[in-house]
Amino acid sequence: MKILHLSHTDIRSDSRILKEIFSLARNGYSVNGIGIHADDGSKRSDFDANAEILILQLFARKLTFLPKTLKHLLVFFEMMIKMIPSAILTRPIIVHCHDTSVLPIAVIVKFFTKAKLIYDAHELESNRNGLTQLQGKLIFFVENILWQFIDHLIVVSPSIQQWYQETIGSKSSDVILNSPTISNQHQSKDNYLRTKFSISKKCLIFIYVGILGKGRGLEKVIEVFSDLEDSAHLILLGYGEFADQLKNNQFNNIHLHEPVPHAEVVGIIQSADYGLCLIERISLSDYYCLPNKLFEYCFAGVPVIASDFPDIRTLVSEYNIGICCDPDSHSLNRAILSLINSQPKFIFNDLSILSWQEQEHKLLHLYQKLTPQLPINK
């Protein structure tokens, strides 16, 4: 009796899926996962959970000369052809589906195996950064058509949960935050970032963690820091399309840190003074988000400057972990200067309810509710 995780990402570098797999395997579930190989520059984590992970290679992803729409269709059909037989042979009792790309596959597996289906939406899937209007409508159509086959919905923020319930339909659901595991934090060396990048003690260090790409406010962040060479340094920790450009930037106070495994991120953040969580309002998914980096900053004990969006604002205010501002150059510049000039103290409230340990309790409760007949070996 197996639990099967399906994803269109490379599970070995997907922190959310890895944490869920670790939690389930550690609590006696027999876990399998099927994902897709990716060469996107991400750092893979050492995988030591008691789980079987199959990573598929897709030839269609190499057909870059084709029009995007045709290429996406070929990728999807190749993924179906390769993923469905392996998934059915697993004979899962629960199919845990990550995002809309593999939802049709998960429904087919459910049909053949009679498994329960969990839909884990890592974003507001039909209204997110990078989608064309046509792609958004297609994803919304797929979610609507297959909604009846979903036994439980998992989302990453309260506002996204509310959107799904009001827009597509009532569904048993949970908010499971993409937060770090407290006990897995790596203590940083006291001045790690100052030493690595030769930064004076007189300058404050601001760190950005995440994908170095469009919609992340990076252009505005760099614009602001280019005028602050004498008072603040910016560390960019991540990977993405802007990496090469940032590596060769002309400013002495802007530095690119190579990607590291997820388990090392919190420890590195601890040697910074402030964290940047500036998300642009490109989509509803961005506006309603609670990004992983926000939790990494707060569990590192580093105050944040974050976008003034509903769920982010609530969390920053409730737990006293920093300040919010509009994600534009003027507002960001004003917020950074206020921190440089006043250097206020933020006394973080108890964060334990936000930790992955608390999210794990919700995940396990959900699994036990869906499969009360399943014996768990503790």
Side-chain angles (χ1 to χ4, degrees), residues 26-37:
R26 186 170 56 246
N27 283 275
Y29 287 93
S30 178
V31 187
N32 283 44
I34 304 177
I36 305 299
H37 176 76

Side-chain angles (χ1 to χ4, degrees), residues 38 54 112 208 216 303:
L54 173 63
F112 281 101
Y208 166 90
R216 312 284 171 161

Side-chain angles (χ1 to χ4, degrees), residues 1-222:
M1 304 215 306
K2 302 274 188 178
I3 306 301
L4 177 63
H5 284 254
L6 295 180
S7 175
H8 70 289
T9 67
D10 193 324
I11 292 174
R12 298 167 297 182
S13 57
D14 193 312
S15 64
R16 181 175 178 83
I17 302 177
L18 286 175
K19 283 181 291 192
E20 290 175 339
I21 289 176
F22 285 148
S23 294
L24 293 168
R26 186 170 56 246
N27 283 275
Y29 287 93
S30 178
V31 187
N32 283 44
I34 304 177
I36 305 299
H37 176 76
D39 289 317
D40 56 5
S42 59
K43 192 75 175 179
R44 292 171 191 157
S45 299
D46 293 330
F47 193 84
D48 57 2
N50 184 23
E52 296 181 21
I53 304 300
L54 173 63
I55 301 298
L56 303 173
Q57 296 273 358
L58 296 185
F59 173 77
R61 281 192 169 179
K62 300 177 182 179
L63 304 178
T64 54
F65 59 89
L66 293 176
K68 282 188 176 180
T69 302
L70 177 57
K71 179 190 168 186
H72 288 325
L73 283 173
L74 291 175
V75 166
F76 175 71
F77 285 118
E78 184 181 1
M79 185 168 63
M80 287 188 69
I81 291 168
K82 290 184 174 179
M83 192 174 281
I84 289 174
S86 299
I88 292 174
L89 287 173
T90 303
R91 306 300 301 174
I93 193 169
I94 292 179
V95 178
H96 194 130
C97 165
H98 296 272
D99 299 328
T100 320
S101 296
V102 291
L103 183 56
I105 296 172
V107 170
I108 292 171
V109 176
K110 172 187 172 82
F111 175 80
F112 281 101
T113 64
K114 309 304 180 185
K116 298 288 187 180
L117 174 55
I118 296 173
Y119 180 38
D120 195 334
H122 295 196
E123 298 187 68
L124 199 166
E125 289 294 308
S126 62
N127 196 322
R128 53 184 167 84
N129 185 10
L131 292 181
T132 65
Q133 189 174 27
L134 177 60
Q135 288 171 327
K137 289 181 177 180
L138 179 60
I139 289 172
F140 185 72
F141 173 77
V142 170
E143 287 182 322
N144 266 282
I145 292 296
L146 301 181
W147 196 248
Q148 60 184 311
F149 301 106
I150 297 169
D151 296 291
H152 196 89
L153 171 70
I154 294 177
V155 293
V156 294
S157 77
S159 290
I160 292 178
Q161 181 184 42
Q162 182 178 352
W163 184 92
Y164 271 105
Q165 299 287 357
E166 293 179 352
T167 308
I168 298 185
S170 179
K171 182 71 62 178
S172 173
S173 63
D174 279 298
V175 176
I176 296 183
L177 304 173
N178 195 15
S179 52
T181 303
I182 294 177
S183 60
N184 284 349
Q185 290 185 21
H186 287 241
Q187 293 301 317
S188 68
K189 299 175 182 176
D190 289 341
N191 299 311
Y192 166 75
L193 290 173
R194 291 190 187 278
T195 301
K196 182 176 178 66
F197 296 106
S198 301
I199 300 172
S200 167
K201 293 182 179 179
K202 297 179 182 179
C203 296
L204 291 177
I205 297 177
F206 293 76
I207 189 168
Y208 166 90
V209 174
I211 295 174
L212 307 175
K214 296 178 181 178
R216 312 284 171 161
L218 285 174
E219 297 95 337
K220 296 179 178 66
V221 169
I222 290 169

